[in-house]
Amino acid sequence: MYTSGSHVDFQSATSEKGQVSFTGLGGRGQDRAVRSVRVLAMEHSQRHNSVESLFPPDPCKEKSEQKSGFSSWWKQNQSVLLERIFPCIVWMRAYDWKQDFRADVMAGLTVGTMLIPQAMSYARLAGLHPIYGLYGGFIPVLTYAIFGSSRQLAVGPVAMVSLLVSNGIMPIVIAHTSTPEEAEQLYTALSIHLAFLVGMIECVMGLVRLGWLIRFISHSVVSGFTTASAIIIGLSQAKSFLGYDITGSTHISELVKSIIDGLDQFKWQPFLMGSVTLGTLLLMKHLGKNYKRFRALRAAGPISALVMGVLFVKLFRPASIQLVGEIPQGFPPTSFQYSLDFTYTLQLLPYACLVSGVGILESVGIAKALASKNGYELDSNQELFGLGVANLFACSFSSYPVTGSFSRSAVSNESGAKTGLFGIVVFILVGAALLFLTPVFTDIPQCALAAIVVSAVIGLVDYEEAIFLWHVDKRDLLLWTTTFIFTLLLGIEVGVLIGVGLSLVFVIYESANPHTAMLGRLPGTTVYRNIEQYPDAYTYHGIVLMRIDAPIYFANISVIKDRLRSCEHYCPRKSSRGVEQDRIHFIIFEMSPVTYVDSSAVHAIKELYHDLKARGIQLAICNPNGKVMETFAKGGVPELLGYEWYFVRVHDALQTCLAILEAKHSNEPEPVSDVESQVPNLEQESNSVDDDQTTVGQWVDDSQLHAPLLLRRTNSDASSGGS
């Protein structure tokens, strides 16, 4: 329980309703008026801490401690554990074969026909043989259907990850090989090794619940990065359109220079065929996206491009158009032939982190949106674990890293996918293609695959976001522009690092310079708001009300101290109410938005209190939450300030301060060291305080609220919260 440590002799008698009467003995032997104060009990959470918020207690473990033996515990909790490991059990139990099966099959067939050509195209973008794209759309899709929590997310090779794979592995291969055969073998092995690292990172993040780290990557950074990367991807496909080789680089200056230098080798046949294929794809995408009756055209575009290309090659046999060539037939082999050489792990690890970050942003973002649209909950950490397991299986079956695809997931949702069964249908379709269709894929023109890639990445050019940010937030526009320019000029890794670094600088700046507000009372209410936002709000002579809209900790405490000290020099407005004062006597600190304080804040509050008291200014604290109150109690702040200067509401604190100033103005005896001896009956507020005099006595239908509300701690809490 809070008890006063002041010089005032408080004699309390608690009524049935919890109201306490305090009698203060004033100076010069005169008895002061009796003040009625309602004291509220407040308990602190004993289990709320940052460690438990990251690693919440397992209810299964708590229950198991009450049972004897593993078998009893397993019988009680096996269902919950199995659902955590295999989220597919949730939708399998409630599966409606009559309504859901047909929708899932149709969605699976639609996504599968879209995945097969895209997977081969993205494998070429990654610098691999097209067969590795099909491998990435086979076993990982089935794995995610079992371990993933999203019911509409389409997993497989994507353009952004493919570009990052190429950009990360190519320099290592060039530095450690001397022949094309060695380069190809090492390149494939490192791609599979990268899938292993990505899978491990995502699994660990999911198991230890670190998905929140991705929140520090701003949407503006992601948008600027993807826009620049889309341009780089598009230019990298120019070699298939133009008919000659160009430099494999992620720097736009080198790409443009290489394209210009080789113009004398230009071939019009692949350019014409690629342009026609690209135009057809864009037209089908536009019709499928904007006209409901043509919805099927959007998914059928890539497979239509392949069919057109194969037919053209079969009929005319053009010598100037390069073909995919022989594709191995059959299911993917295991990766044991590519032993994981951990000597390259440190070199691959930064790219594995980058691939994981981009993949998580792309997957979790679309998965959450689809879960909300379809009415079920999605656990981000379970999603990370599902993606990690999918990549570990991708590594085991000769595939490079995979993640969720924006375009294919949108198509699966539009096609009516209800559960993860659609992924099993995709798995079957890709498996059939590996067994029976690879001889047909031999005659696919490379310019057709390039057209599929370009048509997919055009949608990633997010110039509309830059226009939006120009009107909404110039700081986010700076993030977008910086990331975009540096990604184009200096490469993907540098662009991402600069963008993320700048966004973290903004986060740190905002945290170290929190928003503060001077408060005033809205006329006719007991509501206190920012006087800059509400110019008509009432302020009072000699009293400053200040609110901090952020946690208080070591990074921002110096700024907050300076702003609190500056309150001493606050010039009241001409319209301020109450008795005129020659200086500030009270600073009321509204702490309801403050969610956390650390030891630095406790030291600063104590130091500030001594500084203000030396100049005759009293500090009052209003409405701290339980966690803040507990930290203050452990640091001895209540004993220093005086328990009577803790209030539930700003209005209670203001009443107390106004009463003291009124007492001084009425030439009453000088105050002793504590405020309680000078507080008159607060059931009547001075006429100078407000025009609406009835507000004080008519806040709500509870006569106890006529008295200010002070805070106390419960006996049980006092024993455990700190001494």
Side-chain angles (χ1 to χ4, degrees):
M1 175 178 178
Y2 282 153
T3 57
S4 177
S6 66
H7 292 68
V8 182
D9 180 19
F10 291 113
Q11 299 174 354
S12 62
T14 307
S15 66
E16 294 181 359
K17 295 184 178 180
Q19 188 162 326
V20 181
S21 298
F22 291 125
T23 302
L25 297 180
R28 302 180 185 177
Q30 298 179 357
D31 290 339
R32 305 302 304 154
V34 177
R35 179 191 182 194
S36 294
V37 178
R38 185 184 180 192
V39 181
L40 299 182
M42 181 176 69
E43 293 188 5
H44 307 310
S45 172
Q46 297 301 312
R47 302 183 62 178
H48 181 78
N49 58 68
S50 58
V51 176
E52 290 185 352
S53 65
L54 284 175
F55 307 99
D58 189 352
C60 301
K61 184 177 180 180
E62 294 179 355
K63 291 180 181 178
S64 67
E65 293 174 354
Q66 302 173 3
K67 302 292 181 179
S68 59
F70 176 79
S71 59
S72 299
W73 173 83
W74 174 253
K75 289 180 180 179
Q76 288 188 350
N77 302 288
Q78 60 177 335
S79 177
V80 176
L81 289 174
L82 287 174
E83 288 180 3
R84 289 185 177 182
I85 299 173
F86 305 103
C88 62
I89 295 176
V90 177
W91 57 261
M92 288 175 65
R93 285 176 177 170
Y95 197 80
D96 188 341
W97 288 94
K98 291 183 179 180
Q99 296 184 3
D100 297 343
F101 182 72
R102 182 179 178 182
D104 284 336
V105 170
M106 293 302 298
L109 293 174
T110 304
V111 173
T113 56
M114 188 176 181
L115 170 62
I116 291 171
Q118 283 191 344
M120 291 190 290
S121 303
Y122 295 151
R124 287 190 66 257
L125 175 61
L128 295 164
H129 192 280
I131 191 62
Y132 292 101
L134 293 177
Y135 292 164
F138 186 51
I139 296 295
V141 174
L142 176 64
T143 307
Y144 181 82
I146 298 172
F147 292 94
S149 55
S150 176
R151 302 174 191 177
Q152 287 81 30
L153 187 69
V155 171
V158 298
M160 290 297 301
V161 170
S162 299
L163 178 65
L164 293 173
V165 168
S166 172
N167 193 55
I169 295 177
M170 186 62 73
I172 301 176
V173 172
I174 293 175
H176 293 85
T177 58
S178 57
T179 64
E181 292 77 14
E182 291 179 359
E184 183 178 358
Q185 185 175 3
L186 180 60
Y187 196 101
T188 304
L190 292 182
S191 300
I192 296 171
H193 191 176
L194 188 61
F196 169 77
L197 294 177
V198 170
M200 291 298 299
I201 291 172
E202 292 176 340
C203 282
V204 170
M205 290 183 68
L207 290 173
V208 300
R209 309 181 72 82
L210 291 179
W212 56 270
L213 289 173
I214 303 300
R215 301 173 193 167
F216 286 95
I217 302 180
S218 166
H219 175 71
S220 303
V221 172
V222 175
S223 177
F225 166 73
T226 53
T227 301
S229 299
I231 295 174
I232 293 173
I233 292 172
L235 290 175
S236 68
Q237 298 303 300
K239 62 181 180 181
S240 298
F241 281 82
L242 301 177
Y244 57 88
D245 289 334
I246 62 174
T247 301
S249 174
T250 58
H251 297 181
I252 191 172
S253 58
E254 296 180 8
L255 283 171
V256 173
K257 182 177 184 299
S258 178
I259 292 172
I260 295 174
D261 291 343
L263 282 177
D264 56 338
Q265 306 174 40
F266 172 75
K267 298 176 183 178
W268 65 269
Q269 294 93 339
F271 179 79
L272 179 60
M273 184 176 183
S275 300
V276 171
T277 305
L278 178 59
T280 303
L281 286 168
L282 295 178
L283 178 62
M284 296 178 72
K285 180 188 288 189
H286 174 77
L287 293 175
K289 187 176 181 179
N290 295 283
Y291 299 96
K292 191 173 183 180
R293 57 181 176 175
F294 298 126
R295 181 182 298 174
L297 292 178
R298 180 179 181 182
I303 198 70
S304 300
L306 293 192
V307 171
M308 290 169 52
V310 171
L311 289 176
F312 182 82
V313 171
K314 292 287 187 182
L315 292 175
F316 299 101
R317 297 289 178 179
S320 58
I321 295 180
Q322 295 181 348
L323 306 180
V324 169
E326 183 180 356
I327 294 181
Q329 191 172 9
F331 293 142
T334 60
S335 303
F336 299 119
Q337 57 178 320
Y338 301 105
S339 58
L340 293 179
D341 189 350
F342 289 96
T343 57
Y344 298 104
T345 298
L346 291 179
Q347 294 175 273
L348 289 175
L349 193 58
Y351 293 96
C353 294
L354 186 58
V355 170
S356 300
V358 172
I360 291 169
L361 285 171
E362 190 167 354
S363 298
V364 176
I366 187 65
K368 282 189 172 182
L370 293 176
S372 176
K373 184 178 294 186
N374 289 275
Y376 63 91
E377 294 183 358
L378 184 127
D379 185 353
S380 299
N381 294 296
Q382 177 63 49
E383 189 69 11
L384 291 180
F385 180 75
L387 289 171
V389 175
N391 274 294
L392 290 179
F393 272 84
C395 163
S396 302
F397 290 91
S398 304
S399 174
Y400 71 103
V402 298
T403 191
S405 165
F406 274 120
S407 58
R408 294 194 298 273
S409 299
V411 169
S412 73
N413 184 64
E414 293 172 1
S415 302
K418 301 296 182 184
T419 67
L421 183 65
F422 92 93
I424 299 176
V425 176
V426 174
F427 162 78
I428 295 173
L429 188 61
V430 175
L434 286 170
L435 286 177
F436 306 112
L437 297 180
T438 51
V440 179
F441 296 157
T442 303
D443 293 328
I444 295 176
Q446 291 192 8
C447 58
L449 294 180
I452 293 173
V453 173
V454 174
S455 68
V457 301
I458 284 178
L460 298 178
V461 179
D462 196 7
Y463 64 89
E464 293 179 350
E465 179 70 10
I467 298 174
F468 172 79
L469 295 176
W470 171 264
H471 295 289
V472 175
D473 192 335
K474 299 296 191 297
R475 180 180 296 178
D476 282 345
L477 178 63
L478 176 62
L479 276 177
W480 190 98
T481 306
T482 302
T483 307
F484 174 77
I485 292 175
F486 280 101
T487 301
L488 282 180
L489 298 181
L490 301 181
I492 292 175
E493 311 89 341
V494 177
V496 169
L497 289 176
I498 292 177
V500 172
L502 187 59
S503 63
L504 289 177
V505 168
F506 286 160
V507 169
I508 295 171
Y509 176 82
E510 290 294 336
S511 178
N513 295 271
H515 177 265
T516 59
M518 297 291 186
L519 305 181
R521 185 160 72 88
L522 301 184
T525 71
T526 59
V527 176
Y528 292 79
R529 293 292 183 265
N530 189 344
I531 59 177
E532 293 183 1
Q533 187 175 358
Y534 298 93
D536 294 333
Y538 297 152
T539 57
Y540 298 88
H541 291 289
I543 304 172
V544 172
L545 295 87
M546 188 175 185
R547 186 186 71 213
I548 306 294
D549 297 327
I552 305 177
Y553 67 113
F554 66 92
N556 62 13
I557 188 59
S558 60
V559 174
I560 292 175
K561 280 172 56 179
D562 292 340
R563 294 181 184 177
L564 284 171
R565 285 193 177 104
S566 67
C567 294
E568 180 183 354
H569 308 291
Y570 173 71
C571 297
R573 299 184 297 182
K574 293 182 179 179
S575 59
S576 295
R577 312 175 78 80
V579 180
E580 292 191 8
Q581 305 292 328
D582 57 350
R583 64 181 181 86
I584 298 299
H585 293 272
F586 299 97
I587 295 177
I588 300 174
F589 190 10
E590 171 25 349
M591 296 193 70
S592 58
V594 179
T595 57
Y596 166 76
V597 295
D598 67 354
S599 58
S600 300
V602 173
H603 286 303
I605 292 292
K606 289 182 175 181
E607 179 184 342
L608 182 67
Y609 170 77
H610 289 299
D611 291 347
L612 294 176
K613 189 173 183 180
R615 292 188 286 276
I617 301 173
Q618 176 64 50
L619 180 66
I621 291 178
C622 298
N623 197 24
N625 67 32
K627 190 176 180 181
V628 172
M629 196 76 171
E630 184 176 13
T631 305
F632 279 169
K634 291 178 179 179
V637 176
E639 290 83 357
L640 181 65
L641 267 66
Y643 295 100
E644 66 275 10
W645 289 105
Y646 279 78
F647 297 91
V648 176
R649 300 178 302 174
V650 176
H651 195 70
D652 299 327
L654 181 66
Q655 280 191 102
T656 302
C657 298
L658 286 172
I660 294 174
L661 293 178
E662 281 292 317
K664 289 183 178 181
H665 183 69
S666 301
N667 294 321
E668 291 201 9
E670 290 297 321
V672 290
S673 60
D674 199 277
V675 60
E676 296 289 342
S677 64
Q678 296 215 14
V679 180
N681 191 344
L682 293 180
E683 294 191 13
Q684 296 179 350
E685 191 177 20
S686 172
N687 292 340
S688 62
V689 174
D690 209 318
D691 289 337
D692 48 339
Q693 301 176 12
T694 60
T695 302
V696 176
Q698 298 178 356
W699 298 333
V700 292
D701 288 332
D702 185 352
S703 59
Q704 292 184 8
L705 292 184
H706 292 180
L709 304 179
L710 301 179
L711 294 175
R712 67 185 285 271
R713 298 169 69 199
T714 61
N715 291 333
S716 62
D717 201 48
S719 63
S720 59
S723 57

